[in-house]
Amino acid sequence: MENIYVLGIGGATPVFIELAEDCGYNVAGLYHYNDDKTGKIEYGYEVLGSFDDLYSSHIEGKKFLLTQGDMRIRQSVTERIIQLGGCVPTLIHPSSKISKFAEISKLGVVIGSDCIVQADSVICSNAVLRDQALVCHQSIIGEYCFVGPKALVGAHVNVESFAFIGQDALLVSGKVGTVGSYSLVGAGSVVVKKLPSNVIAAGNPARVIKEKK
């Protein structure tokens, strides 16, 4: 059983711990962004140190699972780990169904339980699909995207990097085309047309309610 270290302690941490264990890893310890929790026990595992402690240690060849919801933080931590010779593997819950014709990056993808990824879809590096998400055929989930629980990304949709698809949102096949980078689709929204980058959209049908700064 291979060791993996979990980075970041927050409300979703036990979800990621259970995912790692369900994928056959041994959680060897936790790291937090600062020193506040060093030496404490969280969810039954020792907090080994801060991120700075991690970066100053020998991490070459070790594997890490990131829990951060902020994808820009996730990006900076991932890049630092890779620079230092560590590994951020893709984790796919064994209950999920991934088409043999789908393409899943081997870097940092997290796919929760009971997800479906259909044929000819692409899941790019460091994307996160939470439980029961469905990505239909010929769709692309870009780098550092988040697809919430029970969200449905219809066929032929390109979700560009750093976009956020809220839980139970529906991106209708053949209607959306593209969700632009850094855009956010609110929970339960029904998207029926292209969304530009850096906007917040919500409703049924979804409309742009705000531009992101």
Side-chain angles (χ1 to χ4, degrees):
M1 185 178 290
E2 290 187 273
N3 287 337
I4 198 166
Y5 298 86
V6 175
L7 306 187
I9 300 169
T13 299
V15 175
F16 286 89
I17 289 173
E18 289 177 334
L19 172 62
E21 292 173 337
D22 289 343
C23 289
Y25 285 99
N26 174 62
V27 176
L30 313 179
Y31 284 90
H32 195 45
Y33 74 94
N34 62 23
D35 294 319
D36 290 352
K37 296 180 180 292
T38 299
K40 296 180 180 179
I41 303 297
E42 296 281 345
Y43 304 106
Y45 298 91
E46 183 180 0
V47 181
L48 302 175
S50 67
F51 287 0
D52 286 340
D53 294 329
L54 173 66
Y55 298 150
S56 63
S57 66
H58 179 74
I59 70 170
E60 187 173 356
K62 293 181 179 179
K63 295 185 175 182
F64 301 91
L65 173 61
L66 281 62
T67 71
Q68 293 82 5
D70 186 321
M71 289 299 186
R72 279 174 280 200
I73 295 175
R74 198 179 190 91
Q75 180 187 33
S76 65
V77 174
T78 297
E79 289 176 351
R80 187 71 182 276
I81 288 170
I82 298 302
Q83 181 184 36
L84 294 171
C87 177
V88 183
T90 285
L91 270 66
I92 301 173
H93 194 278
S95 67
S96 288
K97 184 175 180 180
I98 311 298
S99 168
K100 64 181 180 181
F101 301 112
E103 180 182 337
I104 312 293
S105 170
K106 297 184 183 301
L107 174 59
V109 172
V110 174
I111 298 180
S113 63
D114 299 304
C115 293
I116 298 174
V117 180
Q118 293 185 344
D120 296 325
S121 288
V122 177
I123 311 297
C124 298
S125 62
N126 299 290
V128 175
L129 276 60
R130 294 296 297 269
D131 300 356
Q132 299 182 52
L134 167 58
V135 179
C136 294
H137 57 91
Q138 283 99 26
S139 286
I140 300 171
I141 307 298
E143 294 183 339
Y144 294 99
C145 285
F146 177 91
V147 180
K150 297 185 178 180
L152 192 159
V153 178
H156 306 286
V157 177
N158 180 15
V159 181
E160 295 183 343
S161 59
F162 290 91
F164 182 104
I165 310 301
Q167 67 183 58
D168 215 25
L170 168 61
L171 280 57
V172 178
S173 298
K175 297 288 188 181
V176 179
T178 301
V179 174
S181 57
Y182 293 95
S183 283
L184 183 153
V185 175
S189 298
V190 179
V191 183
V192 295
K193 63 181 181 179
K194 178 179 179 180
L195 293 177
S197 299
N198 292 295
V199 299
I200 298 173
N204 180 8
R207 62 183 181 86
V208 174
I209 59 174
K210 186 178 181 180
E211 292 188 3
K212 293 177 69 177
K213 295 183 180 179

